[in-house]
Amino acid sequence: MLYIPNESHDPCYNQAFEEYVFTAFPQEDILLLWRNAPAVVCGSYQNVFAEVNVPEAQARGVAIVRRPSGGGTVFHDLGNINYTLIQNCGAEGVEYSRFLTPVVAALRRMGVPVEINRTSDIAIDGKKISGSAQRVVRNRVMHHGTLLYNTDLRRLTALANGQRAYYESKGVPSVPWPVTNMIDHMADRSRTTEEFQAELLDQLDRELKLETRRLTPAEEEQVRALEENKYRTWAWTFGKSPAFTYRRTFSREGRETSVEYQAAKGIIKAIRFQPEAPDLCEALTGARLEPDALRCLLAERGEWEELYRYLF
């Protein structure tokens, strides 16, 4: 099996790296291990606005990225290790256990008391340390998952739970599950995440018989192009969200106020307030659901500036 190193921590680059390897190596079995700087990563068929607290994430400088596989929303930081396994398969895909088993075996040898939980998770005492998803294209399957080693779980909860109660959408909802960090269940808690990842790679080498192969400069250029043209674009990350209706009631200047709008491709198509505000509705119709842009638009209208936080 090929192991292709990737030392980047940039979430957009790393998503492009994974997709490039998946499409550019059509026959080889492949392993990737990689980490992201703080990021919320959503599934391909999800409504990003419902799944992520978008204003809070952007205010904290946390990237929001959409991946090309299904499944739910996850939080990444440098205390989490992501693994990707790519192999050939039949039209029906591949059972998750085929990919989870070598990872579980490697972790157990490292002193982590893990077990396969549900169909696609790895857990300790019923708490998830790894969720995974798959993408199948023709006869190739890409299986990838998280491995929570020493992640900031409070930030995970704050950013990746979204505000689904306000949204009516056909997007695939995440299914929350209690999580834990592996480091909290290990006898030796002195290892850094980098040291843990290096040992994990050694253990996976025992399981999978790895051969290292780095991307060439020309291949790196193609990754960069995919990064810029897809994973850094509004159209992919936000505009791919299914059409939805948003409804919310809040108190403004001691009065009950409500807002309802319909959006498609990340754009407000129609909006109404109670009490009515026709001028504001006209200004917001056609606006992109981007926190900074909406905040500026509302600031221009003076008395409406504080409404920004109620539109997500």
Side-chain angles (χ1 to χ4, degrees):
M1 176 176 285
L2 286 184
Y3 168 63
I4 304 179
N6 175 15
E7 290 85 11
S8 169
H9 295 155
D10 185 303
C12 293
Y13 175 87
N14 289 344
Q15 209 63 69
F17 187 101
E18 182 186 55
E19 179 173 338
Y20 174 78
V21 169
F22 180 53
T23 57
F25 294 78
Q27 295 299 326
E28 295 90 343
D29 293 348
I30 296 169
L31 168 71
L32 308 176
L33 287 181
W34 47 286
R35 292 189 297 150
N36 276 336
V40 185
V41 182
C42 297
S44 179
Y45 310 108
Q46 293 196 288
N47 179 355
V48 169
F49 302 99
E51 298 296 327
V52 185
N53 188 328
V54 174
E56 184 69 13
Q58 294 192 343
R60 295 190 187 193
V62 175
I64 301 172
V65 185
R66 183 185 297 276
R67 64 178 184 271
S69 64
T73 296
V74 291
F75 175 73
H76 293 177
D77 65 11
L78 293 176
N80 167 73
I81 300 164
N82 301 291
Y83 73 94
T84 306
L85 288 163
I86 300 170
Q87 295 182 2
N88 288 333
C89 67
E92 72 284 357
V94 178
E95 291 289 333
Y96 276 80
S97 59
R98 172 173 160 184
F99 298 102
L100 297 179
T101 298
V103 176
V104 166
L107 291 173
R108 285 176 176 171
R109 283 199 301 270
M110 296 170 65
V112 189
V114 293
E115 58 189 3
I116 295 176
N117 183 46
R118 301 189 296 176
T119 300
S120 57
D121 296 344
I122 301 173
I124 299 174
D125 295 332
K127 292 185 177 182
K128 185 162 67 172
I129 61 96
S130 175
S132 56
Q134 292 184 352
R135 180 188 181 198
V136 179
V137 178
R138 293 189 279 278
N139 69 328
R140 294 286 276 172
V141 59
M142 176 177 69
H143 170 106
H144 49 196
T146 55
L147 292 168
L148 301 177
Y149 178 65
N150 195 14
T151 289
D152 185 343
L153 298 181
R154 289 178 297 178
R155 183 177 282 193
L156 182 156
T157 301
L159 298 178
N161 280 346
Q163 303 186 90
R164 286 180 287 274
Y166 302 129
Y167 293 83
E168 181 182 309
S169 170
K170 292 184 178 180
V172 175
S174 298
V175 180
W177 193 269
V179 296
T180 189
N181 277 314
M182 288 183 281
I183 195 172
D184 294 330
H185 302 268
M186 300 176 67
D188 178 8
R189 302 184 184 183
S190 65
R191 282 175 289 194
T192 65
T193 306
E194 292 83 357
E195 291 168 339
F196 185 87
Q197 180 176 335
E199 185 175 346
L200 175 63
L201 179 59
D202 288 342
Q203 294 296 338
L204 288 171
D205 188 11
R206 289 180 57 182
E207 292 287 325
L208 304 171
K209 310 304 180 195
L210 301 175
E211 176 186 345
T212 300
R213 196 279 209 193
R214 289 187 174 272
L215 295 189
T216 66
E219 290 168 337
E220 288 277 2
E221 287 184 12
Q222 295 184 62
V223 174
R224 293 289 183 190
L226 185 58
E227 172 193 1
E228 293 301 323
N229 295 329
K230 182 174 182 177
Y231 289 104
R232 290 198 184 280
T233 66
W234 172 271
W236 169 257
T237 301
F238 296 95
K240 197 173 181 295
S241 293
F244 64 87
T245 297
Y246 174 93
R247 299 183 183 90
R248 187 168 184 175
T249 300
F250 53 95
S251 177
R252 180 174 185 267
E253 298 178 351
R255 311 174 56 179
E256 183 177 276
T257 303
S258 66
V259 58
E260 176 179 329
Y261 65 80
Q262 289 76 45
K265 297 182 178 179
I267 305 294
I268 296 174
K269 298 300 183 181
I271 186 168
R272 62 191 293 264
F273 289 92
Q274 284 292 344
E276 294 184 359
D279 291 345
L280 181 62
C281 292
E282 183 179 355
L284 290 174
T285 300
R288 196 165 75 171
L289 284 165
E290 201 286 314
D292 288 343
L294 287 178
R295 185 161 45 195
C296 290
L297 188 154
L298 291 168
E300 293 173 358
R301 309 187 70 81
E303 73 274 16
W304 296 104
E305 182 173 358
E306 86 283 2
L307 282 181
Y308 142 80
R309 65 182 181 274
Y310 296 114
L311 294 176
F312 295 89

